[in-house]
Amino acid sequence: MSFAVIQMVSQDDVLANLAAARRLLESAAGNGARLAVLPENFAAMGRRDYGAIGRAEARGEGPILPWLKRTARDLRLWVVAGTLPLPPDDAPDAKPNACSLLVDDQGERVARYDKIHLFDVDVADARGRYRESDDYAFGDRVVVADTPVGRLGLTVCYDLRFPELYGALREAGAELITAPSAFTAVTGAAHWQVLVRARAIETQCYVLAAGQGGVHPGPRETFGHSSIVDPWGRVLAEQASGEAVLMANRDAEEQLAVRQRMPVTAHRRFLTPAAPAPARTEKL
């Protein structure tokens, strides 16, 4: 029942990033992880050609998807591939989504989550203006999937600010929730840990928050502090900056006990007026 969260400091060189990710995933697998989570934009940070990257991957001409399948198969490891730009399956020339893929230990794709909430905000840092919707299309589906470590819900970064999504994942049976991220240094210092812990506490899920932690092209500085938080809100592992492999085990009996002692889902009195789309659970 072991799992890993990977922290990286990705740059704009895709092949170098893939080599770094492989090294970190090898460490996770070597330490007994059954599933590992890579951060947002693990394969490229600071690029402005996400559309071209996504089209190449969709046509089978890019390096990222073959690398992902081969690495998962070689290491016998389930991998949540942070995010990569990828257009819809039925429209390879369309604007890409910020796509988080779950692949199994045979290298087969099990689930795809397209980031629902895009980071279109102004931040008091060196970059100042962030408009993810310039590069990406909005996702519209809640996604959960069964894995060897439990039923997994998929989210990405800015999604952490929207508890209704996390509530929908809990309703769909999530026991763990991934949050590959690239929080800015400014917003991360203000809100990162409180958001990660709050989402774990209110859903009574493990939250696997894999972040970028350093300086990237753009210019951009990310907050790091990747962490694993348990259903009681305890931080089981954390890394401030730089590369890291964080490990933890899921205690299914303790998680069940937490939910039984405090049955918050049964106590809900208010329903979200605008719930996300129904969860997608089919094998893709």
Side-chain angles (χ1 to χ4, degrees):
M1 300 285 277
S2 295
F3 49 81
V5 159
I6 307 295
Q7 182 162 288
M8 296 179 65
V9 189
S10 299
Q11 303 295 308
D12 56 8
D13 184 328
V14 171
L15 295 182
N17 292 331
L18 295 182
R22 171 74 185 226
R23 172 171 45 81
L24 294 164
L25 290 170
E26 287 175 351
S27 176
N31 283 286
R34 296 295 309 280
L35 176 142
V37 185
L38 291 167
E40 187 176 25
N41 289 330
F42 75 97
M45 282 283 290
R47 299 281 290 258
R48 291 316 308 267
D49 58 345
Y50 291 123
I53 293 173
R55 287 189 295 274
E57 295 295 331
R59 295 169 181 166
E61 300 168 355
I64 303 172
L65 290 178
W67 170 90
L68 175 60
K69 294 178 180 181
R70 182 173 61 253
T71 297
R73 185 173 59 248
D74 289 350
L75 300 179
R76 296 293 188 266
L77 182 67
W78 286 62
V79 179
V80 177
T83 63
L84 65 152
L86 202 63
D89 293 330
D90 58 356
D93 293 321
K95 191 174 187 178
N97 298 103
C99 176
S100 187
L101 293 178
L102 170 66
V103 299
D104 68 16
D105 56 4
Q106 301 302 310
E108 297 298 323
R109 194 175 88 175
V110 174
R112 167 180 175 149
Y113 168 69
D114 296 328
K115 187 176 182 181
I116 292 175
H117 303 100
L118 298 181
F119 191 59
D120 287 357
V121 305
D122 298 320
V123 177
D125 63 7
R127 179 167 172 174
R129 184 178 187 272
Y130 295 81
R131 294 294 183 272
E132 279 191 330
S133 63
D134 288 348
D135 297 312
Y136 296 113
F138 290 89
D140 62 3
R141 292 286 179 178
V142 176
V143 178
V144 294
D146 292 318
T147 77
V149 298
R151 191 158 173 79
L152 190 72
L154 301 176
T155 74
V156 174
C157 198
Y158 192 47
D159 286 334
L160 280 164
R161 295 183 182 273
F162 300 90
E164 62 272 19
L165 170 58
Y166 282 73
L169 290 168
R170 170 66 197 272
E171 289 292 324
E175 297 162 321
L176 309 95
I177 301 175
T178 57
S181 300
F183 254 60
T184 71
V186 171
T187 58
H191 301 144
W192 168 257
Q193 190 181 79
V194 69
L195 286 170
V196 174
R197 293 187 67 204
R199 299 296 85 86
I201 292 165
E202 67 198 12
T203 61
Q204 298 171 318
C205 287
Y206 288 84
V207 174
L208 284 56
Q212 295 279 356
V215 178
H216 318 269
R220 185 167 181 179
E221 183 180 0
T222 49
F223 183 63
H225 291 80
S226 295
S227 56
I228 300 170
V229 180
D230 78 2
W232 193 243
R234 293 171 292 217
V235 179
L236 303 182
E238 185 175 21
Q239 174 73 22
S241 62
E243 292 184 347
V245 178
L246 306 179
M247 299 282 299
N249 297 315
R250 175 177 169 233
D251 188 332
E253 291 184 0
E254 172 60 20
Q255 183 172 23
L256 179 60
V258 166
R259 291 180 171 190
Q260 290 175 336
R261 290 194 302 266
M262 190 174 292
V264 292
T265 57
H267 294 162
R268 290 176 62 193
R269 300 294 299 274
F270 292 93
L271 298 179
T272 304
R280 185 171 63 192
T281 60
E282 70 269 20
K283 187 176 178 68
L284 301 181

